[in-house]
Amino acid sequence: SQTIHQWPATLVQPVGSPLSLECTVEGTSNPNLYWYRQAAGRGLQLLFYSVGIGQISSEVPQNLSASRPQDRQFILSSKKLLLSDSGFYLCAWRSGFLEAFFGQGTRLTVV
Amino acid sequence: AQSVAQPEDQVNVAEGNPLTVKCTYSVSGNPYLFWYVQYPNRGLQFLLKYITGDNLVKGSYGFEAEFNKSQTSFHLKKPSALVSDSALYFCAVRAHTNNDMRFGAGTRLTVKP
């Protein structure tokens, strides 16, 4: 069966520090991968999605970036965090016409 | 580009009463439609989906949703609400020809005993 791992669960980082959130998927090949941000327990904002290794589509211009170095690994990064980057970050995967499956999320607080 | 609207930020119902959480969508071509539920500080859990075929879709925990193409709606329903159904509900859409998935702003459902 397929599983998705996302870590860390919580993170507190100072303004201006770098960020690296990692997401890995098991049990499937060539999935579509997604990063979403959820602010204040409300709607999900699509940040990036990837249909293959090295292929990243960015939905919102900002100081975040994403990379997909391996088929089932998706990384969200920032060189310098802003206060406005605080939020709940969710990774998801999808294959074919199936629904997307979500990780448990990372609560990022920038202080 | 596709989009989803959930017109109600909050829905309150009494336990045992039917519930409806509304969703309308905009997409070029045929849609895939989804409902998810989120409990505090957790990821989203899949409830049900519409791909094609029967407009009435049944999903987990007694939830169902009806696809209405003419009204571009996909409302979530349950005949008898439980207190444990209280959570944040998200509708999502993806076009058949697209890879990105768009979510609505979410509707907070509160079921009171």
Side-chain angles (χ1 to χ4, degrees):
Chain A
S1 63
Q2 303 91 352
T3 57
I4 180 169
H5 302 281
Q6 186 180 343
W7 68 93
T10 59
L11 190 60
V12 180
Q13 291 283 97
V15 169
S17 64
L19 173 74
S20 180
L21 301 181
E22 188 162 346
C23 174
T24 59
V25 181
E26 297 178 358
T28 186
S29 296
N30 197 32
N32 288 348
L33 296 171
Y34 303 83
W35 278 111
Y36 290 89
R37 178 169 60 199
Q38 185 179 25
R42 297 304 304 195
L44 275 69
Q45 178 186 35
L46 178 62
L47 300 176
F48 302 95
Y49 70 92
S50 171
V51 299
I53 295 174
Q55 301 178 60
I56 309 294
S57 296
S58 175
E59 292 297 308
V60 182
Q62 54 203 323
N63 70 321
L64 298 173
S65 62
S67 61
R68 185 169 177 174
Q70 300 180 46
D71 181 43
R72 290 169 288 179
Q73 183 184 29
F74 204 25
I75 298 172
L76 183 69
S77 303
S78 174
K79 293 181 179 178
K80 289 185 177 182
L81 283 169
L82 306 172
L83 286 174
S84 57
D85 291 324
S86 294
F88 193 50
Y89 289 82
L90 290 159
C91 179
W93 75 271
R94 183 185 63 77
S95 181
F97 57 79
L98 294 177
E99 61 275 19
F101 297 91
F102 283 80
Q104 290 304 300
T106 296
R107 172 75 58 194
L108 172 66
T109 304
V110 182
V111 297
Chain B
Q2 53 261 33
S3 64
V4 176
Q6 292 181 243
E8 303 155 315
D9 286 343
Q10 176 88 32
V11 170
N12 298 315
V13 298
E15 189 175 29
N17 283 0
L19 69 88
T20 299
V21 183
K22 296 179 180 178
C23 170
T24 59
Y25 66 91
S26 174
V27 68
S28 297
N30 294 318
Y32 295 132
L33 295 158
F34 308 87
W35 274 102
Y36 288 83
V37 60
Q38 185 183 34
Y39 296 98
N41 295 311
R42 306 290 289 180
L44 274 66
Q45 297 178 29
F46 169 74
L47 279 179
L48 51 80
K49 64 185 175 187
Y50 172 81
I51 302 298
T52 187
D54 194 350
N55 289 344
L56 183 63
V57 177
K58 294 187 183 296
S60 306
Y61 312 117
F63 284 95
E64 59 187 31
E66 187 167 10
F67 171 61
N68 188 317
K69 189 172 184 178
S70 63
Q71 296 184 9
T72 61
S73 67
F74 190 56
H75 302 330
L76 181 70
K77 299 181 179 183
K78 187 173 182 179
S80 179
L82 301 173
V83 173
S84 58
D85 292 331
S86 299
L88 190 56
Y89 289 80
F90 290 96
C91 182
V93 66
R94 182 170 70 85
H96 283 209
T97 56
N98 204 309
N99 285 306
D100 72 55
M101 214 166 143
R102 301 288 170 158
F103 284 79
T107 298
R108 189 164 300 281
L109 172 67
T110 300
V111 181
K112 299 183 178 180

